[in-house]
Amino acid sequence: MTIFSLTEAELRQRRSLKWRTYDADVLPLWVAEMDVAMVPQVRAELDAALDRGDTGYPWGSEYADAYRASARTRWGLELDPAQVRRGGDVMNSVLCVLEAVTDPGDGIVITAPVYPPFWQVTSGYRRRTVPVGLTADGRLDLEALEQAFTDDRVTAFLLCSPHNPTGTVHTAEELAAVAALCRGHNVALVVDEIHAWLVDPGTTFVPTLAVPGAEDAVVVVSAGKAWNLAGFKAGLYLAGEGAGGVLNRLPPLANQSTGHLGAIAHAAALRHGQQWVDQVCVEVAANKELLADLLHALVPSACYQPAPGTYLAWVDCTRLPLSDPVRHFLEVGRVAFSPGRNFSPAHRQWVRINLATSPAIITRAVERMAASLRNRPAD
Ligand SMILES: Cc1ncc(COP(=O)(O)O)c(C=O)c1O
């Protein structure tokens, strides 16, 4: 079974953001949608729900239970049913948690470069964004974090685990150190683990709530990234054993925005899609190697160091003779990537490439990058 086998012609039928934003001659490798067909069992459960006309409100804990079973089998994480609640999509759930644990005007630390909505969910909601850089090799900078936490107007740390866009998978030691720092400085630890299942074979994802000392953390997850279900919005809040009070302080509508079909789809993915996502990870790891080889051969000035988390590649184009790499690749190469500046103002020369697609499309994309550099108009 090859999962990334859909052709460009098939994908161009889609009406989603990834495939509709740009002109039809642009190859889109930007927003984090996967070029996959739906997991058959998810489809079967959705079909059955539609056959029943079962399009009302969600009921029960099927999705939460499916997550708990997946976390137990995959990572040995035991969660009590009371620690898991349904939410809307992941970013709206993160917002609800941040509203519960911070006050307007508070500082919230994020580790830049990071997923652009992390900037929006902080400064867009009357909080102050406090960006802290990662180390040169993309790891959490514990000293810089501690420094930021000493400001007593900083009351929360929003962590991305695994990290989008660098693909860094945080270790148990790093997470324990972060949890200890947060506890020591009275900073609420809020973790987005939407990419949890997406790590290369041989790499172990460590859930924050499995780390001793992280009992005060609140985590938000969904099956949305790993099984490509962003169209079925449904997230979950996970409270550490010491953070149960946060779930009770969430804004009144925090648990109301899960779609019934979303909960059905995400639960089915978690219950029946474990082997499927393992195969995704195998193919993504091969795609990372393919990208590294192609860049080395065709665009050698681009620097790319594959990292084990996510299906996203974070590529440094600083050494290319381009003032705006993403604009150049779009306008001249007709290939769309995500601009580094959206992840941090310091990363204007970087691009994020979505590798959740076929080797053929990745090859075509890098060929277009190379051709665009040969045909480069004066910048
Ligand atoms: C780290 C991270 N969090 C959240 C999301 C979006 O999740 P949702 O659509 O459930 O808000 C993404 C999507 O790419 C992501 O990378």
Side-chain angles (χ1 to χ4, degrees):
M1 169 180 70
T2 304
I3 289 181
F4 294 115
S5 56
L6 294 176
T7 65
E8 192 181 329
E10 286 168 325
L11 292 161
R12 289 209 182 274
Q13 306 299 315
R14 294 191 169 181
R15 296 198 223 161
S16 67
L17 188 66
K18 182 180 188 185
W19 286 93
R20 283 299 163 105
T21 296
Y22 296 104
D23 292 340
D25 65 329
V26 170
L27 205 51
L29 288 86
W30 65 295
V31 67
E33 297 180 13
M34 294 206 278
D35 293 343
V36 293
M38 188 173 259
V39 183
Q41 293 95 328
V42 177
R43 169 114 190 227
E45 296 231 7
L46 288 169
D47 280 346
L50 294 176
D51 287 345
R52 293 191 298 271
D54 195 356
T55 53
Y57 295 111
W59 176 86
S61 58
E62 200 187 344
Y63 177 21
D65 295 343
Y67 174 79
R68 290 193 305 112
S70 162
R72 183 184 308 120
T73 314
R74 220 165 234 274
W75 308 305
L77 174 65
E78 292 288 346
L79 292 172
D80 188 79
Q83 291 177 267
V84 188
R85 293 239 184 117
R86 249 192 342 243
D89 61 26
V90 165
M91 284 321 295
N92 279 290
S93 302
V94 166
L95 171 61
C96 289
V97 176
L98 292 178
E99 294 215 306
V101 299
T102 65
D103 289 317
D106 284 2
I108 300 176
V109 169
I110 61 172
T111 44
V114 74
Y115 179 56
F118 275 38
W119 298 82
Q120 294 151 10
V121 80
T122 48
S123 51
Y125 291 86
R126 296 186 294 145
R127 271 65 174 172
R128 190 166 45 90
T129 310
V130 181
V132 169
L134 298 165
T135 64
D137 53 356
R139 307 227 63 99
L140 295 171
D141 185 336
L142 296 170
E143 272 178 36
L145 285 171
E146 176 154 35
Q147 179 70 27
F149 294 167
T150 53
D151 175 349
D152 56 14
R153 289 160 308 167
V154 163
T155 54
F157 174 32
L158 174 57
L159 175 66
C160 190
S161 178
H163 192 85
N164 172 4
T166 58
T168 309
V169 179
H170 309 305
T171 63
E173 291 72 26
E174 288 168 323
L175 292 168
V178 162
L181 286 177
C182 286
R183 190 170 270 193
H185 292 275
N186 221 3
V187 167
L189 177 57
V190 182
V191 189
D192 175 341
E193 294 186 352
I194 196 171
H195 292 276
W197 298 264
L198 295 165
V199 295
D200 293 354
T203 299
T204 309
F205 167 75
V206 181
T208 306
L209 296 184
V211 172
E215 294 80 10
D216 297 339
V218 179
V219 175
V220 180
V221 287
S222 91
K225 285 300 106 174
W227 286 272
N228 200 43
L229 298 172
F232 292 92
K233 284 177 176 282
L236 292 171
Y237 302 94
L238 318 176
E241 280 168 11
V246 176
L247 295 187
N248 298 328
R249 292 204 315 275
L250 292 174
L253 298 179
N255 304 112
Q256 298 249 333
S257 42
T258 325
H260 179 41
L261 292 177
I264 289 174
H266 287 234
L270 287 163
R271 273 207 312 266
H272 306 296
Q274 298 293 328
Q275 281 183 335
W276 186 92
V277 80
D278 287 342
Q279 177 63 20
V280 164
C281 292
V282 167
E283 293 182 31
V284 165
N287 285 351
K288 289 173 185 171
E289 275 185 37
L290 173 67
L291 178 71
D293 290 348
L294 286 167
L295 288 174
H296 184 69
L298 300 176
V299 192
S301 297
C303 297
Y304 169 53
Q305 198 57 49
T310 80
Y311 52 70
L312 306 161
W314 184 233
V315 181
D316 182 1
C317 298
T318 309
R319 289 197 292 135
L320 295 176
L322 304 171
S323 60
D324 185 340
V326 157
R327 185 164 57 88
H328 168 86
F329 291 131
L330 177 62
E331 290 178 0
V332 186
R334 311 306 286 163
V335 55
F337 305 131
S338 300
R341 62 173 170 274
N342 292 356
F343 297 79
S344 123
H347 288 79
R348 307 188 74 79
Q349 298 303 118
W350 293 62
V351 301
R352 193 192 72 175
I353 303 181
N354 179 344
L355 299 177
T357 191
S358 67
I361 288 180
I362 293 169
T363 305
R364 219 168 293 151
V366 181
E367 284 169 357
R368 287 186 183 201
M369 290 171 84
S372 77
L373 292 166
R374 286 193 297 274
N375 308 330
R376 190 167 72 92
D379 214 26

